[in-house]
Structure formats: C-alpha cells, structure tokens
Amino acid sequence: MKFIINNEPQNRFNAGRPILAMAMTGLLAVTVGCGDDHDHDHDHEEDAGTQTDAGTMTAPVPDSYEFESRFNAGESSLSYSGQITRHALIKGLYDQMDKLVDDVNNQTLTATTGSVVARLNFFLDFDGANDGTTPHTISTTPPTKQKTYGDLSTSTKLTNKIAGNDTKTDYKCWNPEKRDDCTVSEFAGWSLTGTTTPEGLVRTWFQLAEDNAIALQSMTKPTDPDGNAITKYYVTAAGHDLKQLVQKFLLGAIAYHQGTDDYLHDDVDGKGLKAGNSEPGKMGATYTGAEHAWDEGFGYFGSARDYKAYTDDEIAGKGGRDGYKAGYHDTNADGEIDLKSEYNFGHSVNAAKRDRGSADGAKTDMTEKAINAFLKGRHMLATADGELSADEMELLKAERDIIVASWELAIASTALHYINDTLQDMEKVGTMDYDFYDHAKHWSELKGFALSLQFNPNKKITDAQFVDLHNKIGDAPALPNSMNFDSYKADLIAARKILVDAYGIDAKNVGDDKGQNGW
C-alpha cells in the first residue's frame, strides 16, 4: 500500500520527489537464467521485467517483504518467528518491571532474597516448552493474532542469543567461559563488579533492582536528590532506571548483535551470507540457508513486512492514518494483528523517530535505506539461480552494508538524542520543572543504546572512540548536588562530539550546549 497525497501514490519516504524517481528506487536489476523455474509469473506486461541483450531478465523488487519458496510452490519462504518472540520477551520483561512496582509497593510481592530476580529471570531464561501458555504483553486494536509466547515460538529464549553466549560468529570475545580461544572478555562500557560479560551485566541490574525493592520495603528507603523516598524500585538513588537499561541493552546485545554479527555477516562458512543458496536450509525447509539468515536479520531489525507503506510518524506511533498510527496495521484485513508480519518492533521504530526528528536541510532516511536494502538483497537471493557468483555476492554485501550502516546510525543518533535529553534535564535542576525520574530515564536510555554500539563487527565507531565515549558517559548520571555536576555537562557534550565525529552527523541535528535544537 502506498501513502496517498493529492490522489497520487507517494512513497512515504520521498513525498514531494518526482514520481519517476521514486519508482526507480524500487527497482533492482537481478539476472536470472531464461527458463529458470524460480522466475515469477506476472499478470501485467509492465510488471514482467525487461528482456536484455544477454537473454536474461530484470525483475522488479517487491514493495513488501513477501517471498515465495523456490522449493514448495505457493508457500512462503519466510521464517523468523524466533526473532519476533525475542522482541516480545524483551517487551514482556520491560512490562514486568513496571508491574513489579505495584506488586512491591502494594506488598502483593514481598521483596526477599531471590523473589524479584526470579520474576525477571522468568523472561531472560524463558522456557517455551513449559511456559509457552504465558500471555504476551503486546496490546493492539484489533487484537493480536498470537495470544501467548507459545503462539509465536515454543523453543525461544533470550539468554542463548545474548552476545557472548552464541559464539560461532562473535567477532570479539564477549564471554571467555563460552570459548576456548580467549581468557579475557572484550566487553566494554561498564565498570562495576560482575559486569565482564553482557549476560553478567543484565543479571547485575536484576540484582540491583531486587536490592532496591527490598530497601523500599524497609524503614530506610532509598531517596532521590531532594530527600524524597523513591517509589519505583527499578530506579536507584544513583540515577539508574534499570527498566530502561535492561530493555535498551538487550535490544543491542541480542537483536543488533545477532542481526549484524551473525545473520547478515559473512565471516564464517555456512553461516549468515555464506549459509548457501541452492539447497533447503534444513530438511523440509521452504528456504535456502542464505534466505533464512537474511530473514532472521530482518526479523531482528523489527519492521513490519509492509514497512514502506507507513509514514515515519506512523512507525514511531506519533500520528498519521487510522489503522497505522499506532505502529501496526491489519494489512491482510483479517481482523487481527499478526506480530510476525504486521507490527513494528525495536530499532525499526527508533530509526523512524530519528528520521522524523531530523532537521530541515539535514534530513536522514534510515528507514528508507534499510527497508529498500532488505528488499533488494532478499529479492536477489530469491531470484538467483542457486549459489551467488562472486560478483553477485559483492552486490548482496553492498545491500547488507546499507542495512547495517542505517541500523547503526539509528542507534547512534538515538544515543545522541538522549544525551540532549539528559542535558536538558540538568538545565532544569533548581527549578520546579526538574524531574529526577525523567533524569534517570533519559540517562539510562542513553547508556543502554550507547553500550549497544560495540556489537557490530562493521561498526563505524572505533574501539578507542567507544571506550572514550563511555569514559565520558560513566556508569551513572551526575545528579543535583553532585561534586562533578558541571564538569559532567562538559563530558556529555564531549561524548556527543565523539558520536558526531564517528558517524558524520550533520551539525543541524546535534543540538546546543543545553541539549536543545537537535535530535
């Protein structure tokens, strides 16, 4: 579906551009041998492709991420339910941390050693075989097609895909206990004890949440900078919003890591782009290994299959047409929202938020670049005559590079956005507008996104820049009355400059020293 402006079909990313130019961006010349059983039939001449002098045919790239199996005619070749389940589990963990506020404050749950951690570990260590009947927490109108986690997948958990725990393609040693070729973890960005691995950091945050919950039920409650008792157990007196830290970090340590360092990477034979494109990926599969890897990368990016039909406002949940403006759409009009195809998750949403917030004269198009490259690359795999030639593989890698660069910029620009929010919070100190919970929230979102940047093997930020970035951000915000309050503002501005230099961010999107007039 196209976004309609003045009765003309417009690509939502290119409103105002010439129609011919927009149409051309939807095409990629992919060569397939004459008589290939995998050529698609078309009802209309204009859709049938163009015959070339070489006797090959160019085929249009679809506008929606839908691809038929080359092995089983009439069946879809798409399968990425595990990725969507992990998105749903991360959302469930986030919502559980909210629910526990009421449970702890109302003493529905007595916070004792192990009680809060157990409730959080339920999602991190999710056992689909035994707990698949648990309802997920995603609410839509119309309702979701899948009602429980088991309706999405019965064999998916979070821990086995956290960076460092699935080591076959890890480009760094995130967890020495899982590998024989390293003894020291290369995980960086957090200095507290017990955080030498990504999983270790998440479990450390769980323990901090439990310790805080126990303290909230004691006579000596943790307090905010004004001396008021903290009411949300997941917010510490040091200014950590553990709910935000956990969610944003897991989107990086699982979705971004798996997408960029596994499924869309090409450094390990038999994995990712090298998974093979002539035989079924496994016995009875409707897809090749490479098709499946590409689809799993798409699943971790999180976009609906008809992502191109949405405006950035709609993806971001910031307005638009009825039926789209909440970030999902009943595309097949069956009265349900299929979470596997009709809902936008995670980083695909953040990309739209930053695109829509980019300044006039410095507009970004991360959403357009990512989805077009996903479609072109998958179309190339679907229409290739078996294995890709060396030249075709280079074309596929080029589309992969566009996806990864757009994905990385979406995370980096979101980190920059939260630097600006944190600077604005600090400017409000001493006024009635200052809100400790907002300050903790914005800093924690900054930290969670910034930690994620290390997981991409093709990242633009260097290791030295990454370490410098986190030395500036630190392990906690500078709260009112902190000795380093003023110097920390300068540190945040310097951290922002590191992102600007690493990603070539236009000055119009950066913001001023108070965090205003930028992303």
Side-chain angles (χ1 to χ4, degrees):
M1 180 180 292
K2 292 293 186 183
F3 183 38
I4 304 301
I5 300 177
N6 297 328
N7 297 318
E8 292 291 344
Q10 298 278 320
N11 183 306
R12 56 144 181 128
F13 305 106
N14 299 288
R17 298 183 189 177
I19 300 298
L20 178 59
M22 292 187 297
M24 291 302 292
T25 63
L27 299 178
L28 173 71
V30 181
T31 58
V32 281
C34 285
D36 193 318
D37 291 339
H38 309 319
D39 284 350
H40 296 287
D41 293 326
H42 300 281
D43 295 329
H44 304 288
E45 182 179 353
E46 62 267 30
D47 293 329
T50 303
Q51 195 76 17
T52 70
D53 292 339
T56 59
M57 182 169 290
T58 61
V61 177
D63 281 335
S64 185
Y65 200 89
E66 301 286 353
F67 297 92
E68 186 176 320
S69 173
R70 70 180 65 186
F71 305 114
N72 297 357
E75 291 189 28
S76 172
S77 63
L78 304 182
S79 176
Y80 51 90
S81 59
Q83 286 64 41
I84 301 305
T85 308
R86 290 188 181 92
H87 280 298
L89 285 170
I90 292 171
K91 176 68 163 57
L93 175 54
Y94 179 91
D95 291 338
Q96 179 66 197
M97 295 186 84
D98 256 342
K99 183 179 186 303
L100 281 172
V101 171
D102 292 335
D103 290 350
V104 169
N105 289 341
N106 298 335
Q107 296 189 354
T108 303
L109 171 69
T110 300
T112 57
T113 300
S115 63
V116 172
V117 168
R119 293 273 290 268
L120 302 180
N121 279 342
F122 174 85
F123 294 90
L124 194 66
D125 302 319
F126 188 76
D127 182 354
N130 293 317
D131 299 315
T133 57
T134 304
H136 62 71
T137 62
I138 299 170
S139 177
T140 62
T141 303
T144 61
K145 177 179 180 179
Q146 299 86 3
K147 310 303 181 186
T148 68
Y149 293 109
D151 289 341
L152 290 165
S153 173
T154 59
S155 60
T156 299
K157 62 173 59 180
L158 295 178
T159 45
N160 65 336
K161 293 298 182 179
I162 295 176
N165 292 353
D166 180 18
T167 63
K168 293 178 183 177
T169 59
D170 283 358
Y171 85 102
K172 281 193 173 187
C173 181
W174 310 117
N175 188 349
E177 293 184 5
K178 302 285 187 178
R179 293 173 58 159
D180 297 328
D181 61 342
C182 61
T183 58
V184 178
S185 175
E186 295 178 85
F187 177 56
W190 196 281
S191 61
L192 297 181
T193 302
T195 60
T196 58
T197 68
E199 181 183 347
L201 179 55
V202 175
R203 295 196 187 277
T204 295
W205 286 334
F206 284 2
Q207 190 60 56
L208 283 174
E210 179 172 281
D211 293 345
N212 217 38
I214 291 172
L216 285 175
Q217 292 184 338
S218 72
M219 296 298 292
T220 55
K221 303 181 188 299
T223 58
D224 66 20
D226 290 328
N228 301 311
I230 291 173
T231 58
K232 300 176 181 179
Y233 78 97
Y234 59 75
V235 177
T236 71
H240 302 122
D241 184 324
L242 299 166
K243 180 180 74 169
Q244 297 295 340
L245 281 167
V246 167
Q247 183 198 36
K248 273 54 178 185
F249 180 69
L250 286 179
L251 285 173
I254 295 178
Y256 182 57
H257 165 255
Q258 286 287 303
T260 62
D261 196 15
D262 191 328
Y263 298 116
L264 299 178
H265 204 23
D266 62 302
D267 62 333
V268 177
D269 288 340
K271 296 284 290 183
L273 304 192
K274 292 185 174 181
N277 198 49
S278 58
E279 302 295 333
K282 61 181 180 180
M283 185 176 294
T286 60
Y287 46 75
T288 69
E291 287 176 332
H292 189 46
W294 194 267
D295 294 342
E296 289 178 297
F298 176 78
Y300 275 129
F301 181 66
S303 70
R305 292 183 188 175
D306 60 341
Y307 193 61
K308 291 187 69 167
Y310 293 75
T311 67
D312 285 326
D313 284 352
E314 290 163 352
I315 297 170
K318 301 295 183 180
R321 296 163 293 170
D322 290 343
Y324 285 87
K325 63 185 178 182
Y328 54 81
H329 176 62
D330 182 15
T331 303
N332 63 3
D334 66 352
E336 297 177 310
I337 299 299
D338 189 338
L339 295 179
K340 297 180 181 180
S341 60
E342 298 176 330
Y343 192 95
N344 292 295
F345 288 95
H347 294 132
S348 76
V349 177
N350 290 315
K353 288 180 177 180
R354 301 291 82 79
D355 280 348
R356 69 184 294 274
S358 56
D360 290 340
K363 285 295 184 184
T364 57
D365 55 1
M366 293 171 271
T367 44
E368 178 187 17
K369 288 180 178 178
I371 190 58
N372 281 344
F374 266 122
L375 289 166
K376 290 176 183 178
R378 186 56 168 83
H379 184 65
M380 187 183 302
L381 290 167
T383 56
D385 186 13
E387 300 299 335
L388 272 61
S389 68
D391 287 344
E392 288 170 332
M393 179 59 76
E394 289 306 309
L395 289 173
L396 184 66
K397 290 179 184 178
E399 299 303 330
R400 182 274 314 278
D401 291 346
I402 293 170
I403 293 165
V404 171
S406 300
W407 198 341
E408 183 180 16
L409 181 58
I411 295 173
S413 59
T414 301
L416 186 150
H417 167 75
Y418 285 113
I419 287 177
N420 284 337
D421 274 0
T422 304
L423 286 169
Q424 291 177 43
D425 292 328
M426 296 177 78
E427 286 295 319
K428 295 174 184 176
V429 169
T431 75
M432 294 295 292
D433 293 331
Y434 177 73
D435 188 312
F436 165 68
Y437 294 104
D438 280 349
H439 192 173
K441 175 181 181 293
H442 294 149
W443 180 90
S444 298
E445 291 183 279
L446 156 63
K447 187 68 175 181
F449 280 113
L451 284 168
S452 303
L453 293 171
Q454 65 190 297
F455 297 121
N456 173 7
N458 295 314
K459 65 186 189 303
K460 292 185 178 179
I461 191 169
T462 67
D463 288 346
Q465 286 175 317
F466 181 85
V467 170
D468 193 17
L469 175 71
H470 285 278
N471 285 339
K472 297 291 192 297
I473 296 171
D475 289 340
L479 299 176
N481 304 320
S482 298
M483 293 291 292
N484 67 330
F485 188 82
D486 289 332
S487 64
Y488 187 70
K489 286 184 183 179
D491 285 341
L492 285 182
I493 293 168
R496 189 177 63 186
K497 180 65 162 55
I498 294 169
L499 294 174
V500 169
D501 290 344
Y503 297 100
I505 295 172
D506 193 290
K508 295 183 180 68
N509 291 323
V510 174
D512 57 26
D513 288 355
K514 295 182 179 181
Q516 298 176 344
N517 303 312
W519 255 321

